[in-house]
Amino acid sequence: PGLNELAKKNFKAKRLSFTTNISDAIKKSNIIFICVGTPTKKNSYAADLSQIFTVAKIISKNIKSHKIIVNKSTVPVTTGDKVENIISKKISKKLFSVVSNPEFLREGEAIRDFIYPDRIVIGTSNKKINNILKSLYAPLISKGAKYVNTSRRGAELIKYSSNAFLATKISYINELANLCEKTGVDIKDVSFGMGLDQRIGDRFLRAGPAYGGSCFPKDTRAIVDTANNFKTNLSIVKSVIKSNDQRKLLLTKRVEKILKGKIKNKNITFLGVTFKPNTDDMRESSSLIMIPFLNKLGSKIRYYDPSGEKKEFKHLKNVKFCKNIKMACYDSDLVIIHTEWEEFKAIDFSKILNKKNAKIYDLRNLYSPNLIKNKGFKYYSIGRWVFYFISKMASISTAAPKGKEFVLTAALACLPEFPNKFEIISEAGLITLGWS
Ligand code: UDX
């Protein structure tokens, strides 16, 4: 969001121009940024660097005066060396410098992240080039962005390591959410309590569905692949990838449990299908696993996403796009809040859910369980225990004084996954003992 306006403004002010004439563009520029995609190769964990190498070859054919070639694309460590080798086959090393300058922009927040970055990382050992790039970024540095100059390889690795670490943080909190659901703890309290420790920090500790998008899945795989090439075992990142893949199925299985295994002909609504809000990006979204799986089990799925209909679901029979929340929720047996778009945060479900026993599964913890429960709907969320039955009496008559009965009053609750199994809450505060 905001990119159109920004591009138009700078185009009008003649600070931005576009061309398809590559040699002209290279000729007129002192600094050239490479900003191409590095997707995962088919049937592999490795990053496909073909676009980077193609650009390097094109640049090498068009250099006449000194150029600073800045790689912004996310690439495995040592890619800068390879780009340098490609260009130096045609051009003297005196005529160019290859620098790594990774970007840390999030989809949907790219402009904000660019203008107010936490840090700017420049990978070059050449002092003169470093000073030029520092002056290029001076307006951002003066606003408080930290400036880091490191080796080219160091900068490349900072990018991958950051994304793999953030993915680890999310998977960690997601696994803890599973534990919270079994122990009656609210994952939001855990995230909050952990996040107050400055060594941990509170961001990227929101439990939810599996992480998706174009970066975390791709970059975690690529860093594992790179490490393998250097005979290094990144076992933690490997576990993160596995945990995240399993989470997609785990949540789908949970949907089966919520519907007590009776999926066939059930109307299931998805609110949001993109991997995150404010983007139309479906890449690696957990909805890509959940929807086909539930559809295969015979459910009828309707979905609404503010970014519109998705080609990924068009071929699926009984999966339909609806133009608004109300249409998507009509006659629904289960509403799954998949993506935290702003417009899903304050829905009055009593006005749009017409089925009496309709259930809501909130994968983003947008609602308060009590508030929804008070409206008469069964509500399930992530990492939060839902109580259905409280205060059921259980009596035991042993060890009671004559004529008196020893009564154990315990709160009995049942877990969303096991609707027919009762468990006594074991926290001392919830169990009262007395004579009657
Ligand atoms: C990410 C990095 O954040 C960014 O620095 C990098 O340049 C590109 O990759 P992006 O993929 O756009 O950005 O989205 P991000 O906001 O990081 O979310 C990625 C995934 O993690 C989403 O599926 C999101 O829902 C999930 N997520 C994020 C959580 O589940 N919990 C969180 O606390 C944060």
Side-chain angles (χ1 to χ4, degrees):
L3 191 62
N4 269 345
E5 296 77 6
L6 196 69
K8 274 182 194 159
K9 188 176 122 191
N10 288 293
F11 183 71
K12 265 191 189 164
K14 298 198 187 317
R15 281 191 292 262
L16 176 67
S17 61
F18 300 91
T19 178
T20 49
N21 185 335
I22 292 183
S23 68
D24 194 43
I26 292 173
K27 204 165 88 190
K28 285 181 181 159
S29 305
N30 301 315
I31 305 175
I32 300 164
F33 284 89
I34 302 180
C35 315
V36 294
T38 51
T40 307
K41 270 187 190 164
K42 264 197 179 152
N43 304 322
S44 160
Y45 266 22
D48 177 355
L49 299 176
S50 55
Q51 295 183 55
I52 298 268
F53 298 146
T54 306
V55 171
K57 278 178 201 151
I58 294 171
I59 293 173
S60 73
K61 286 179 196 153
N62 290 286
I63 294 183
K64 303 276 181 312
S65 58
H66 187 271
K67 306 289 172 196
I68 301 175
I69 299 156
V70 182
N71 182 33
K72 269 226 161 274
S73 301
T74 301
V75 291
V77 57
T78 69
T79 302
D81 305 2
K82 290 173 187 153
V83 169
E84 190 175 276
N85 284 342
I86 292 174
I87 300 176
S88 63
K89 278 185 187 149
K90 290 227 171 239
I91 303 288
S92 154
K93 279 191 182 172
K94 283 185 193 150
L95 266 189
F96 74 97
S97 309
V98 177
V99 177
S100 167
N101 169 212
E103 57 85 8
F104 302 97
L105 314 180
R106 287 164 301 156
E107 276 188 48
E109 312 281 344
I111 294 174
R112 199 211 144 275
D113 285 352
F114 178 77
I115 297 173
Y116 303 102
D118 288 335
R119 78 295 208 193
I120 293 157
V121 177
I122 297 292
T124 177
S125 313
N126 183 320
K127 274 195 183 147
K128 198 175 143 204
I129 303 288
N130 179 41
N131 286 337
I132 294 172
L133 290 169
K134 199 169 180 182
S135 62
L136 180 73
Y137 280 112
L140 305 185
I141 298 166
S142 68
K143 275 191 210 150
K146 300 231 165 50
Y147 185 85
V148 182
N149 174 221
T150 177
S151 65
R152 188 167 63 206
R153 289 185 179 189
E156 289 170 339
L157 200 51
I158 285 172
K159 167 72 192 200
Y160 267 136
S161 313
S162 302
N163 273 358
F165 186 78
L166 292 171
T168 305
K169 232 179 149 180
I170 297 168
S171 293
Y172 180 75
I173 207 71
N174 281 343
E175 288 199 352
L176 281 176
N178 297 340
L179 180 61
C180 285
E181 283 167 20
K182 302 267 162 75
T183 52
V185 177
D186 188 330
I187 189 65
K188 280 192 170 179
D189 292 346
V190 177
S191 299
F192 183 67
M194 281 175 67
L196 290 176
D197 185 330
Q198 286 188 13
R199 293 169 303 173
I200 298 172
D202 59 353
R203 296 176 71 193
F204 283 72
L205 278 183
R206 256 182 303 114
Y211 64 73
S214 65
C215 291
F216 289 167
K218 162 177 89 71
D219 296 349
T220 42
R221 287 180 202 128
I223 196 173
V224 164
D225 179 74
T226 307
N228 285 346
N229 293 339
F230 286 93
K231 304 216 175 333
T232 305
N233 181 14
L234 291 188
S235 65
I236 293 176
V237 188
K238 283 180 190 167
S239 307
V240 168
I241 296 170
K242 196 169 162 200
S243 167
N244 197 57
D245 285 342
Q246 285 171 346
R247 187 157 187 79
K248 295 174 191 168
L249 285 177
L250 184 107
L251 297 191
T252 315
K253 292 267 170 214
R254 205 163 278 170
V255 173
E256 279 189 87
K257 279 178 187 155
I258 289 172
L259 290 173
K260 298 181 182 162
K262 292 173 189 147
I263 303 274
K264 202 158 190 236
N265 292 324
K266 283 279 186 321
N267 294 327
I268 300 180
T269 303
F270 270 75
L271 293 182
V273 289
T274 51
F275 84 98
K276 63 183 261 186
N278 303 322
T279 173
D280 59 1
D281 200 341
M282 288 294 290
R283 279 177 289 178
E284 308 264 358
S285 173
S286 44
S287 69
L288 291 173
I289 301 289
M290 295 180 83
I291 290 182
F293 189 96
L294 294 169
N295 181 240
K296 215 171 167 190
L297 293 177
S299 65
K300 294 172 188 161
I301 293 174
R302 265 174 291 157
Y303 73 93
Y304 165 68
D305 192 284
S307 68
E309 191 171 6
K310 302 295 163 210
K311 64 175 185 329
E312 288 82 353
F313 302 132
K314 274 196 170 155
H315 67 285
L316 294 175
K317 208 178 148 208
N318 285 327
V319 177
K320 297 211 163 24
F321 171 72
C322 296
K323 283 194 176 135
N324 55 47
I325 300 174
K326 206 173 166 188
M327 282 164 80
C329 291
Y330 182 73
D331 250 358
S332 190
D333 295 294
L334 173 68
V335 175
I336 298 174
I337 304 173
H338 177 273
T339 315
E340 70 275 36
W341 287 90
E342 208 53 41
E343 60 186 281
F344 301 155
K345 290 183 180 168
I347 300 172
D348 186 349
F349 286 103
S350 52
K351 285 198 179 135
I352 57 167
L353 288 179
N354 51 314
K355 276 200 175 165
K356 216 176 154 206
N357 294 325
K359 294 169 176 159
I360 296 160
Y361 189 18
D362 178 0
L363 303 186
R364 302 287 179 169
N365 289 352
L366 300 184
Y367 289 87
S368 141
N370 282 339
L371 224 104
I372 298 265
K373 213 177 67 185
N374 290 343
K375 296 201 169 179
F377 300 113
K378 280 198 174 161
Y379 175 79
Y380 308 83
S381 53
I382 298 286
R384 296 191 291 186
W385 203 356
V386 183
F387 296 81
Y388 297 121
F389 301 94
I390 300 291
S391 262
K392 203 162 179 196
M393 304 289 276
S395 331
I396 20 174
S397 51
T398 51
K402 218 176 168 195
K404 295 213 169 196
E405 209 181 340
F406 181 76
V407 178
L408 167 70
T409 309
L412 293 180
C414 78
L415 296 168
E417 300 96 314
F418 307 106
N420 298 318
K421 187 179 149 197
F422 293 94
E423 288 193 358
I424 295 176
I425 298 171
S426 56
E427 274 182 38
L430 288 167
I431 298 178
T432 53
L433 289 169
W435 305 107
S436 68

